Amino acid sequence: MTPSLSGARQPTIADVARAAEVSRTTVSHALNGLGKVDPRTRERVKKVALELGYRPNLRAQRLRRGQAQAIALASSMPLAVAGGPSRLGFYMEVAAAAAERALTHGFALVLVPPVESGSGLESVDIDGAIVVEPEEDDPVVARLRERGLPYVVLGGPAAAPEEAPYVDLRGSAVAELLLGHLREQGARYPALITGSGTRHSSVAARAVFERLAAEEGRRLPSAAVPEQGGEQAGYDCCAALLKEHPRIDALCVMVDALAVGAVRAITDSGRSVPDDVLVVTRYDGIRANTCEPPLTAVDLHLDQAAGDAVELLLGRLRGDTTPAVLRAPDPRIVARASSLRVTSRDVSSGGSTSGGAATKGVTP
């Protein structure tokens, strides 16, 4: 018979050992999957612990292992891009998926607000971190290196894979998909707006745009603006481009905050979206959905990519030093009113011009 405990006292490992007639070390190994414990003994210990209502002291376990059982999600991406006033943007979508995956492995996710300086990481008790779309010489990466903490990257390479495994968000394929969509919708004089930094998504988009323009044997307008300027920076940049290049009939704006500002600038110039200027952006988030008109964007499969980043980091913590690069699934375009003109072709192919979305994939 397994004795029952009464009163407010919580059962201890000694109570489980006594009831299961084994040592406390055996109980610890059985419950934590450690050591060589006979499978029947392991099951008996687990059954007794469950009956007694025993809960391990997680703090004590962390102290013994020298681990915090916590990983961080960090980025130097400005809040004007990562979240904005709603705090429901790209960064939070990644955080939700990463937290869910980490918890299945017994790890907590510490959400570090996006900080360009990397400050604040010194005071966080973590075992490692996922860095979202770092810049070259990123301050967040620098702080992690100073602390000797392992990290992985979500977005694109920030260092050699043996130092920092990464999940590739397919920057080049995304840019090709967006620009190809504009071409299919009749764009003849497209322009590109990216953030002015060195994040992989911006660098890849600029390279793709330049290559496609060169293949056509012509120069096409492009601009790069500081991300921290948010929607107003997108407005100012778009207004300047339209004034200098009035022939522009399509805009690929890689940062959604900049894209929302660009739509306002187009309207204020006396033009309309999509009749006069088509607009697409990279991230299919709340800004793309709530803009008027709704913005064509890309499904980056962030839930799977964030989960893969967690797995890469936990593998690093277990001592796996094999260089690792995982690719997110093929990006899929979500076509909305901002880039769909009313034509017979749109109607016959199932395109939407009323705010509904149609999807299309890419195979690089």
Side-chain angles (χ1 to χ4, degrees), residues 101-182:
R101 181 66 65 88
L103 195 59
T104 65
H105 293 282
F107 278 74
L109 182 79
V110 177
L111 182 59
V112 180
V115 284
E116 294 181 73
S117 66
S119 60
L121 283 170
E122 302 89 344
S123 60
V124 180
D125 187 14
I126 55 174
D127 300 312
I130 299 168
V131 183
V132 180
E133 300 212 306
E135 298 262 15
E136 291 180 4
D137 301 321
D138 195 274
V140 170
V141 169
R143 295 297 174 94
L144 292 168
R145 286 172 174 164
E146 288 171 5
R147 290 185 59 181
L149 290 173
Y151 69 97
V152 301
V153 168
L154 178 62
E162 57 268 22
E163 176 185 336
Y166 65 92
V167 178
D168 183 2
L169 288 181
R170 315 284 294 281
S172 296
V174 168
E176 290 173 358
L177 186 62
L178 288 169
L179 292 167
H181 171 76
L182 290 175

Side-chain angles (χ1 to χ4, degrees), residues 132-271:
V132 180
E133 300 212 306
E135 298 262 15
E136 291 180 4
D137 301 321
D138 195 274
V140 170
V141 169
R143 295 297 174 94
L144 292 168
R145 286 172 174 164
E146 288 171 5
R147 290 185 59 181
L149 290 173
Y151 69 97
V152 301
V153 168
L154 178 62
E162 57 268 22
E163 176 185 336
Y166 65 92
V167 178
D168 183 2
L169 288 181
R170 315 284 294 281
S172 296
V174 168
E176 290 173 358
L177 186 62
L178 288 169
L179 292 167
H181 171 76
L182 290 175
R183 174 63 68 186
E184 290 173 0
Q185 294 302 312
R188 292 296 174 264
Y189 198 70
L192 175 73
I193 298 177
T194 69
S196 58
T198 55
R199 301 190 198 285
H200 186 261
S201 56
S202 293
V203 173
R206 291 193 288 266
V208 168
F209 189 71
E210 291 171 5
R211 174 174 58 80
L212 294 178
E215 289 174 358
E216 295 181 5
R218 58 179 180 152
R219 295 177 62 86
L220 292 172
S222 65
V225 297
E227 295 174 340
Q228 56 267 33
E231 293 183 14
Q232 188 59 46
Y235 181 98
D236 295 340
C237 178
C238 179
L241 278 175
L242 291 175
K243 184 176 181 179
E244 184 177 355
H245 304 277
R247 294 171 51 206
I248 288 175
D249 61 358
L251 277 173
C252 179
V253 190
M254 296 303 292
V255 180
D256 57 350
L258 302 179
V260 172
V263 168
R264 284 198 297 111
I266 292 168
T267 302
D268 287 353
S269 74
R271 299 169 175 86

Side-chain angles (χ1 to χ4, degrees), residues 316-340:
R316 207 68 166 176
L317 294 178
R318 290 191 295 266
D320 184 1
T321 58
T322 304
V325 177
L326 297 180
R327 298 204 318 166
D330 290 346
R332 295 189 64 82
I333 198 157
V334 182
R336 296 193 178 92
S338 71
S339 69
L340 296 175

Side-chain angles (χ1 to χ4, degrees), residues 78-95:
L79 277 174
V81 172
S86 66
R87 299 295 190 265
L88 294 175
F90 181 94
Y91 195 59
M92 289 304 297
E93 184 175 345
V94 170

